[in-house]
Structure formats: structure tokens, C-alpha cells
Amino acid sequence: MSGPWKDHLAALRRVVDAELGETVRVEPMRRGQYNTVPDPDRPAFDIDEAHLRVSGGQDDLGGVGSRSWSTLVAGGEAELHVDPDAYPAALTLRKGDQVVATDRLGAPRFEVARVDPDQRNRLVLQMSLKL
């Protein structure tokens, strides 16, 4: 993208992000022997102007009265939209990395399921709620 449109879009993105963005903590992860562990090669960082859209929750497939741990399914889905020009470190995010919504009650934690770098003006991360 070139010309004045790119400059106008970047200016608009900065204004919207400053007004509506929220802070998230990004924790890069890697596979350990038994589970995921923090990735020492990619330090954690904060994004102060991210757009987090959360939907869903939990569903108990065993029914209302069931307390079986094996039937609880995490159905929480989220999308994180980040301006890669303002936060170039976000371009290093991978599947399995974790994102903590520090501005939200209880600081919910999400795991990156997919990274979509092909949007016009945002990096979009598809995430699932970590229980």
C-alpha cells in the first residue's frame, strides 16, 4: 500500500488504538519435555493498545448436574488485533504463545491458536481461553 491512503490509515489506527485499546501481556512459549514453558529466546512484552474481542465460555457436555471433569470443554474464543507498525515484536508471535488480558477482571489467559498476518492493517491472532 502506498500514497496518502497509507498515511491516513496509520494516523487513524493510532487514534483508535489510543482511545479504545487495552493492555495485554504477551508471554512467548515453547514446548518443554512435558508441557509448554517460557521461551528464553523471546522475552515477554506488553502491548498497550491492543483490541481484544472475547466470546464464548465453558460448556459441560455431561449435562447441568454433571460434575465430571472429563466433560468440561473450553469454548472461549478470542481475537487479538494488533498494529504491527506500533508493536513489531508482535510479528514474532506463534501458535502456543500466551496472552494475558491484564486490564480485565481476573486477568484471563489465552493461548494463540493461529496467527493471521495477512490483514490490511492489523495482525490478527485467533486465541482460545486457557483454564
Side-chain angles (χ1 to χ4, degrees):
M1 188 175 2
S2 61
W5 170 247
K6 184 176 183 179
D7 296 335
H8 292 308
L9 184 59
L12 179 62
R13 203 169 44 221
R14 285 190 299 272
V15 170
V16 169
D17 290 353
E19 282 296 316
L20 302 175
E22 64 182 278
T23 301
V24 297
R25 179 85 177 151
V26 176
E27 299 175 352
M29 306 297 279
R30 68 174 176 83
R31 286 186 181 257
Q33 185 173 358
Y34 299 107
N35 56 8
T36 58
V37 296
D39 187 341
D41 297 329
R42 298 181 299 143
F45 60 94
D46 289 334
I47 298 174
D48 296 320
E49 298 173 342
H51 297 277
L52 180 62
R53 299 178 184 142
V54 181
S55 63
Q58 296 178 355
D59 195 11
D60 186 351
L61 298 179
V64 176
S66 174
R67 296 280 183 230
S68 173
W69 63 270
S70 63
T71 60
L72 186 65
V73 175
E77 297 176 354
E79 275 189 1
L80 184 68
H81 295 241
V82 180
D83 177 358
D85 295 334
Y87 297 95
L91 294 170
T92 67
L93 288 171
R94 303 179 197 151
K95 181 178 178 179
D97 289 346
Q98 295 185 13
V99 175
V100 182
T102 56
D103 283 349
R104 297 193 180 208
L105 182 64
R109 181 176 292 270
F110 300 90
E111 183 174 318
V112 176
R114 188 172 72 84
V115 179
D116 183 4
D118 297 327
Q119 299 297 319
R120 174 184 268 179
N121 63 350
R122 301 260 183 215
L123 176 67
V124 178
L125 307 170
Q126 304 291 326
M127 304 183 303
S128 59
L129 183 64
K130 295 243 340 150
L131 299 177

